[in-house]
Amino acid sequence: MNKIRTATAAGAGAMMLALSACSSGGTTQAADLSAKPDYSGNLSILTAGAGDPMSSYFENLVKDYEAQHAGVKITLTQETDDNAIKDKEKVLIGSQSLPDIYFSYAGNWGQNFADNGLAADLSSVIAPGTPWGSTFGVGSLDAFKYDGKYYGVPLYNDAKFMGYNKKIFSQLGLGVPKSFGELISDCSVIKKAGYTPIAFGNKDGWPGLHYLGQLLAYDVPASVRQSDLQPKTASYSDPGYVEGMKQFQQLVNSCTGDGSNSNGVAYTTAQQQQANGQAAMYYQELIEFDSVNTKGSELSKDGFGIFQLPAPDGAKGDAATLEAAPEGYMINNRSKNAALALDFLKFVTNQKNASTLSAPPYGQPSAVKGAVTPQNATPAVVDGTGMVNDAKSTVVWLDMANVPGVADAWVSASEGLVSGSLTPEAALKSVLQASQKAKP
Amino acid sequence: MVTLLRLGRGVRGAAVWALLLALLLVVLYPLVWMVGNALKTNAQVFNDPFGLPTSLLWPNFATAWNQGVGEFVLTSVSLTALATLATELISVWAAYGLTRVNIPLNRQLTVAVLAGLMLAPTVALVPLVKMFQGLGLYNTFLGLLCLYTAFRIPFTAFLMRAYMLDLPREVDEAAALDGASTAATFWRIILPMSTPIIAATVVLNVLQDWNEYLFAMVFTSGTGVETLPVGLADMMSKNGTQYPVVFAGMVMAALPMVILFFVCQRYFVRGLAGGVGK
Amino acid sequence: MSTQAPEAAQARVLAGRKVEQAGVLRGSGSRRARRRGAQVAGLVWLAPALFVLAVFVYWPLIENVAFSFLKWNIYNGEQTFVGLDNYANLASDPVFWRALGNNVWYAGLSIVFQVFGSLVLAAIVESLRNERWRKVFRGIYFIPSAISLTVAGLLFYFIYQPQTGLLNVFLQNLGLGQFSQAWLGRENTAIFAVIAMSQWQGFGYSVLLFSVALQRIPQELYEAAQLDGVGPVRRFFSLSAPLVREMTGLMVIVTISGAFQVFNEVMVMTSGGPNNASQVLGTWLYHAGFVTNDFGSAAAIGVAIFVITLVLAMAQLAYSRKRRVEW
């Protein structure tokens, strides 16, 4: 019986599909940000904050905002910060039904929204120097800068750091390595002492990609990298690429426990190896700190410290750059309530709410300056946030910086370099080919 | 000579038993190990994955249940039940129409219903995603229900048709002589007579729907409509996973079908034999 | 679910289609001819099935062919006709060919183990005198087929772990430590590790089917052979194997077409990695469409899968026709 209802729904839907296909070509008025919000009407929001404990953060914000502005009704949809949010957004893009405010990664993910007229240009309100813009770290804002315009409201910062076991390091008389070469030689000392120097699991490809992203930023000049990111101008001819990939292979072979077998290990296993005190180091994201260094783990007894992956001596690129990317929110360019959406995002990023976000149980380091303090966050998170804020420049994850086809080629390259089936030269060639294929 | 022959037979007999028992071990050991790991602490799973559990952490099952397995089970159970019901009804009607009712273009329609057997669901994936996005069926329970139902119909109808072809013609004729309508004949005579094949196909469809992964993975994106297979894979890949809890979830996903198999073994065998043998 | 099956009907089903009543078919045909035209109302029985199949199965299939000639931008919905470009790209894509090759490996190895291996095994199980043991073996061998591929895949992920996995620990204990490796993380072993898992999962299913077929062979034939002093090995080759060759033939075809539709086990265990070494057509289609947003190429891969499975299905159809005559 329920089939009959399905049938009607299907028929009606088919018609809607046809209609929306016809109308999608039309141009729409850009969102008006300068209007004064009149605190009435509906606002729809899609977050990447589903799951425990994050989901309550936005739920509470919505409750508070609605309490302050009785005329506003907010529809909140939350997805988890992984493939779920990506799939959901692809669907909403495909059906041209993005909400007023939606989550975005920095890099190519956000650029697609900007380039295709789906995101409102927020430069007038959030560019560095504007009153609201001055409350954020410049690096976080720049991560959402496309074609000289600012499109995103960064919510929290993420960055990659080497987390290390303080007890193992002090036992072996090691300090924080100052150069990539020193890190490699420390590895052999640690290995001799019976520990895994660096826990590494590359089953998903991206853990290796994170090493590559940081190393290539050290080895390849920023301007070259920038032009290679665009398929139109990409040449991938800089010798720094091969150099960086060689360093990555060197690290995999001399520092990790599984070496060329690492593609068979999940990153969660690597996390566990560090938490158990078996591994001296594990290269991890800022937002992973509190799930690796958990209360009661061996690691927390031994002491947990972090340092930025040290740059190789004489590297040709930017030795001070840090692989880091904020995650943030954009306003739909076709939103009828853009001014209200802007007001809500200002509310989300005010000092009080930013500080709540940075504190347990959420522990997401807010992109707002001064929101992460020793009073509300764990020491490692405070350290990491400080290093992100102090970074002279940052570089976005390789898989987020590139167009999907090229990002995918990098993932394969990461796996091939680990197993040794790809030489750096061959890996670079496959990336170049993917880039040429992606040329518009 | 005779003793030698007997000895030879004995050796062969021993080899046969060794092979059968070794395979038994190959099948059972991973399964027992799965149950064992569901009772360990996370540290023991990593440090001593093959030891006997030093603890019996039954709460792992409760944790898994509360971490979403409960919802996955609820989704999977209702989806499996409704999809199987819909598939069975639609297929049994179709089989009845094709075998016991005089309809025009019978041969062509038979092909139209059964040709779906040849199609790999992956082939239709891209257009289905586009269609479901347009219909608002993407990421909905109803959407999965439609897919599960539709793609099981050709196979189910195929088995039922074969079975109904074998039912004696006389019963319909007798019913017709008594003045029974086609519908009455179906509900009162043919449907009850088809219980064996219905039972066999129900078991097969339940097995398929419960374990389905492709559609469940592509057509749902988190929250609310995840089925057990997809939910478990998600649990496994999420940050900071507690492996014993995943193992506990796996045990809970596997157990119902294993029990169902042993309880309904007869129907399984018949359904499976029917599926390939005809 | 009813467990009270009429015994006669049950016997008929288990006995197979020996009494395939061609007469019924022909009878209904002639009746149809007699009363042509008056039974359009009868189509109501078929309407739900035809509708559901048309909307969710056949229409998407047709659309898929159309999509394979397009390139589209998911951000602005623009679709451009590109002719055969997607197919040309496919033909020059080494991963596509590797995926196809992996499907062929899948088919070949599954035939060896799941068809012929299971046939031998079924014959051995059925030769046991004790009915209870026969049941035990058949039943337990089947268990992996009842658990979902996701569960089996996750289970084998742990078994294949490089340092702590069951397989490597086992090899080390046997003194074969030099062979231990990251089975799923090596480009030359990943697909075979997945195929091995699939054999573990599927062989019990085939054993069960072959057992059913073997049980249909009249017991007297065996007794006669035994009286003639024919040993068990020869009995297998001269009696069992030939008498179940229809089942064997069908199993071969079913196994091959299944091997070209493989998706779940690869997705769960490796997602096609490392470095795309374990991609099969199904996962490569998913990857093209949902990872790199290239729906046109995904549709073209879909057409390739369709053509392959269609050819195999035709073979299956031809085979079962031939068999019907023989029986």
Side-chain angles (χ1 to χ4, degrees):
Chain A
M1 307 305 124
N2 60 46
K3 285 289 105 179
I4 294 165
R5 247 202 267 136
T6 313
T8 349
M15 245 151 32
M16 274 161 45
L17 186 66
L19 286 175
S20 70
C22 296
S23 59
S24 65
T27 48
T28 350
Q29 200 88 49
D32 184 9
L33 294 167
S34 56
K36 206 143 180 59
D38 61 355
Y39 298 117
S40 68
N42 291 318
L43 204 55
S44 53
I45 301 171
L46 172 66
T47 80
D52 200 41
M54 267 310 284
S55 61
S56 63
Y57 177 70
F58 274 99
E59 284 163 13
N60 292 338
L61 284 185
V62 165
K63 238 179 272 164
D64 292 353
Y65 193 80
E66 283 180 339
Q68 283 179 26
H69 306 289
V72 180
K73 175 85 194 66
I74 296 179
T75 319
L76 180 68
T77 312
Q78 309 214 72
E79 294 288 343
T80 48
D81 189 1
D82 50 25
N83 286 335
I85 185 75
K86 294 181 191 166
D87 290 349
K88 181 80 178 186
E89 293 201 332
K90 278 186 202 169
V91 171
L92 294 174
I93 294 161
S95 52
Q96 306 281 317
S97 48
L98 281 168
D100 297 313
I101 298 175
Y102 55 88
F103 171 86
S104 177
Y105 294 103
N108 179 263
W109 190 266
Q111 180 162 22
N112 280 321
F113 289 122
D115 287 356
N116 289 289
L118 300 173
D121 174 7
L122 304 178
S123 306
S124 59
V125 287
I126 208 172
T130 60
W132 188 33
S134 319
T135 63
F136 296 96
V138 176
S140 311
L141 291 174
D142 283 350
F144 291 102
K145 184 168 101 176
Y146 305 109
D147 259 346
K149 297 173 189 160
Y150 293 85
Y151 287 92
V153 180
L155 189 68
Y156 51 81
N157 284 310
D158 194 10
K160 202 84 176 178
F161 293 102
M162 192 62 90
Y164 71 99
N165 184 313
K166 284 184 171 165
K167 188 176 150 202
I168 298 178
F169 267 56
S170 68
Q171 252 176 16
L172 303 174
L174 299 172
V176 168
K178 297 280 178 299
S179 71
F180 185 76
E182 198 182 322
L183 173 68
I184 298 290
S185 61
D186 287 352
C187 284
S188 63
V189 177
I190 299 168
K191 208 175 239 175
K192 273 196 201 108
Y195 297 105
T196 302
I198 299 180
F200 180 51
N202 197 38
K203 182 169 183 278
D204 300 317
W206 56 257
L209 211 60
H210 287 176
Y211 277 105
L212 283 171
Q214 179 71 74
L215 288 168
L216 295 180
Y218 289 152
D219 291 319
V220 181
S223 57
V224 176
R225 264 188 293 119
Q226 220 47 48
S227 102
D228 284 342
L229 280 181
Q230 309 299 330
K232 247 184 277 179
T233 52
S235 68
Y236 290 100
S237 52
D238 192 280
Y241 286 106
V242 170
E243 195 59 32
M245 289 192 251
K246 278 185 182 152
Q247 285 152 0
F248 172 56
Q249 284 188 314
Q250 190 186 6
L251 180 134
V252 170
N253 290 327
S254 34
C255 293
T256 65
D258 291 297
S260 60
N261 277 334
S262 302
N263 286 332
V265 186
Y267 78 98
T268 45
T269 307
Q271 284 183 334
Q272 202 67 36
Q273 285 167 353
Q274 184 174 40
N276 289 349
Q278 299 165 321
M281 290 174 272
Y282 165 60
Y283 197 41
Q284 58 203 294
E285 289 171 42
L286 179 43
I287 54 175
E288 272 176 274
F289 289 174
D290 288 358
S291 39
V292 173
N293 179 33
T294 49
K295 230 185 224 161
S297 66
E298 285 302 317
L299 179 63
S300 72
K301 287 175 214 152
D302 293 352
F304 177 68
I306 58 162
F307 58 87
Q308 180 173 345
L309 186 72
D313 288 329
K316 301 278 188 307
D318 185 352
T321 198
L322 174 67
E323 189 174 24
E327 293 176 1
Y329 286 81
M330 292 186 164
I331 294 178
N332 190 340
N333 203 25
R334 294 172 192 168
S335 167
K336 293 193 180 65
N337 269 330
L340 186 62
L342 185 66
D343 189 70
F344 179 76
L345 284 173
K346 283 183 176 169
F347 171 74
V348 172
T349 54
N350 70 26
Q351 203 69 36
K352 174 175 159 287
N353 289 328
S355 157
T356 309
L357 179 68
S358 313
Y362 309 123
Q364 310 274 323
S366 169
V368 172
K369 282 193 236 166
V372 181
T373 62
Q375 282 78 47
N376 65 1
T378 57
V381 171
V382 174
D383 270 10
T385 310
M387 286 155 89
V388 175
N389 290 337
D390 293 346
K392 291 209 184 65
S393 65
T394 57
V395 52
V396 177
W397 318 112
L398 216 42
D399 53 344
M400 282 298 162
N402 281 288
V403 300
V406 181
D408 191 52
W410 275 115
V411 173
S412 293
S414 145
E415 291 167 353
L417 289 169
V418 167
S419 70
S421 72
L422 281 182
T423 61
E425 289 79 8
L428 190 61
K429 201 174 145 209
S430 71
V431 170
L432 176 62
Q433 276 169 350
S435 175
Q436 283 167 342
K437 223 183 110 187
K439 225 178 253 184
Chain B
M1 188 62 209
V2 173
T3 47
L4 205 65
L5 201 71
R6 197 169 291 157
L7 188 70
R9 208 178 286 155
V11 168
R12 195 154 57 206
V16 160
W17 277 93
L19 172 74
L20 292 177
L21 291 174
L23 276 173
L24 213 61
L25 200 68
V26 168
V27 165
L28 286 179
Y29 186 77
L31 297 170
V32 172
W33 178 70
M34 169 171 83
V35 178
N37 273 358
L39 298 170
K40 291 178 183 176
T41 62
N42 208 27
Q44 203 199 347
V45 168
F46 277 94
N47 298 332
D48 181 23
F50 301 102
L52 285 172
T54 50
S55 52
L56 291 180
L57 281 179
W58 296 107
N60 283 341
F61 284 87
T63 312
W65 185 264
N66 293 329
Q67 269 192 13
V69 173
E71 285 164 45
F72 307 152
V73 167
L74 187 70
T75 308
S76 274
V77 166
S78 30
L79 189 59
T80 303
L82 287 175
T84 304
L85 182 70
T87 306
E88 292 292 327
L89 268 181
I90 296 177
S91 306
V92 79
W93 287 334
Y96 179 69
L98 288 174
T99 57
R100 333 274 311 172
V101 181
N102 291 311
I103 50 166
L105 302 173
N106 188 307
R107 188 169 294 272
Q108 288 81 347
L109 289 173
T110 306
V111 172
V113 172
L114 303 189
L117 266 173
M118 305 179 190
L119 297 180
T122 24
V123 175
L125 208 56
V126 172
L128 280 171
V129 168
K130 289 279 140 195
M131 180 200 273
F132 276 37
Q133 288 175 358
L135 300 182
L137 285 174
Y138 192 83
N139 205 17
T140 63
F141 183 86
L142 184 62
L144 275 189
L145 183 59
C146 291
L147 291 175
Y148 280 27
T149 303
F151 277 82
R152 298 296 303 160
I153 288 174
F155 181 73
T156 313
F158 168 68
L159 292 186
M160 287 177 168
R161 175 181 165 272
Y163 185 86
M164 285 189 191
L165 279 175
D166 270 6
L167 295 178
R169 202 76 220 165
E170 295 76 40
V171 288
D172 313 55
E173 278 158 8
L177 283 180
D178 288 348
S181 65
T182 334
T185 313
F186 171 74
W187 292 109
R188 286 200 222 122
I189 299 168
I190 302 297
L191 190 64
M193 282 176 81
S194 305
T195 357
I197 194 67
I198 292 175
T201 50
V202 162
V203 168
L204 278 180
N205 284 332
V206 165
L207 182 70
Q208 289 286 335
D209 290 345
W210 182 262
N211 290 334
E212 204 284 335
Y213 184 71
L214 173 70
F215 286 145
M217 185 186 91
V218 174
F219 287 87
T220 61
S221 57
T223 53
V225 283
E226 277 182 306
T227 64
L228 203 44
V230 172
L232 279 179
D234 264 15
M235 244 172 105
M236 165 87 182
S237 67
K238 268 199 191 119
N239 209 335
T241 287
Q242 289 282 316
Y243 282 148
V245 175
V246 179
F247 278 108
M250 282 158 63
V251 172
M252 284 192 273
L255 215 54
M257 286 306 118
V258 174
I259 292 172
L260 183 73
F261 167 67
F262 280 105
V263 173
C264 308
Q265 199 168 0
R266 205 155 50 138
Y267 297 106
F268 255 85
V269 174
R270 182 180 303 148
L272 298 179
V276 192
K278 276 166 209 158
Chain C
M1 173 190 328
S2 158
T3 46
Q4 261 78 47
E7 287 304 310
Q10 195 186 332
R12 191 161 47 230
V13 174
L14 279 176
R17 310 244 55 80
K18 250 182 242 169
V19 279
E20 174 70 53
Q21 289 168 351
V24 173
L25 265 175
R26 229 174 281 125
S28 76
S30 59
R31 277 166 57 140
R32 193 173 61 222
R34 267 206 319 278
R35 296 197 251 144
R36 186 180 293 271
Q39 308 86 7
V40 177
L43 288 178
V44 77
W45 295 101
L46 280 160
L50 291 173
F51 176 79
V52 170
L53 288 172
V55 172
F56 296 112
V57 182
Y58 296 127
W59 172 243
L61 183 75
I62 296 165
E63 247 189 335
N64 188 68
V65 177
F67 284 0
S68 71
F69 301 117
L70 301 176
K71 185 169 193 76
W72 75 59
N73 176 335
I74 66 158
Y75 290 94
N76 57 20
E78 262 173 33
Q79 304 180 351
T80 350
F81 181 80
V82 293
L84 293 172
D85 276 12
N86 290 327
Y87 291 96
N89 286 340
L90 216 55
S92 65
D93 173 8
V95 181
F96 171 76
W97 294 106
R98 195 186 304 165
L100 186 64
N102 284 340
N103 281 111
V104 172
W105 271 115
Y106 223 108
L109 291 172
S110 299
I111 286 173
V112 172
F113 292 102
Q114 265 179 62
V115 181
F116 293 107
S118 294
L119 171 59
V120 173
L121 203 58
I124 291 175
V125 170
E126 289 307 312
S127 73
L128 296 179
R129 293 220 177 73
N130 187 326
E131 164 66 18
R132 184 173 302 161
W133 277 109
R134 291 205 295 265
K135 258 197 162 139
V136 165
F137 285 122
R138 279 200 304 260
I140 290 180
Y141 290 165
F142 185 81
I143 294 178
S145 300
I147 71 174
S148 93
L149 268 165
T150 317
V151 172
L154 294 179
L155 192 57
F156 272 70
Y157 163 71
F158 287 99
I159 289 175
Y160 288 138
Q161 283 255 345
Q163 283 183 340
T164 53
L166 178 61
L167 184 58
N168 284 344
V169 171
F170 181 71
L171 286 173
Q172 274 146 24
N173 288 345
L174 285 184
L176 296 169
Q178 72 270 30
F179 292 112
S180 66
Q181 56 181 306
W183 299 96
L184 291 173
R186 285 279 177 187
E187 284 158 50
N188 47 1
T189 55
I191 187 68
F192 298 105
V194 176
I195 295 176
M197 186 282 284
S198 166
Q199 309 308 312
W200 177 82
Q201 226 225 348
F203 84 96
Y205 186 104
S206 321
V207 167
L208 205 61
L209 286 176
F210 278 120
S211 292
V212 172
L214 287 167
Q215 284 160 13
R216 288 179 192 159
I217 299 175
Q219 200 54 42
E220 300 86 67
L221 290 178
Y222 282 106
E223 282 156 15
Q226 207 157 10
L227 281 179
D228 290 347
V230 177
V233 176
R234 265 194 58 205
R235 276 209 299 277
F236 174 78
F237 284 108
S238 60
L239 208 60
S240 310
L243 284 176
V244 296
R245 71 169 184 276
E246 274 81 32
M247 176 66 98
T248 315
L250 276 174
M251 287 292 290
V252 167
I253 294 164
V254 169
T255 305
I256 296 177
S257 77
F260 280 92
Q261 302 184 20
V262 162
F263 177 83
N264 303 4
E265 41 273 63
V266 178
M267 203 62 209
V268 171
M269 294 177 77
T270 66
S271 312
N275 193 13
N276 293 323
S278 62
Q279 294 285 3
V280 289
L281 291 178
T283 54
W284 194 230
L285 181 155
Y286 175 83
H287 192 93
F290 301 94
V291 178
T292 54
N293 298 337
D294 187 354
F295 284 112
S297 292
I301 300 171
V303 172
I305 299 176
F306 174 66
V307 170
I308 293 170
T309 46
L310 190 71
V311 169
L312 293 170
M314 292 299 174
Q316 181 173 2
L317 214 63
Y319 194 89
S320 41
R321 274 238 182 84
K322 194 180 96 205
R323 187 180 64 118
R324 193 142 291 169
V325 179
E326 278 175 8
W327 269 25

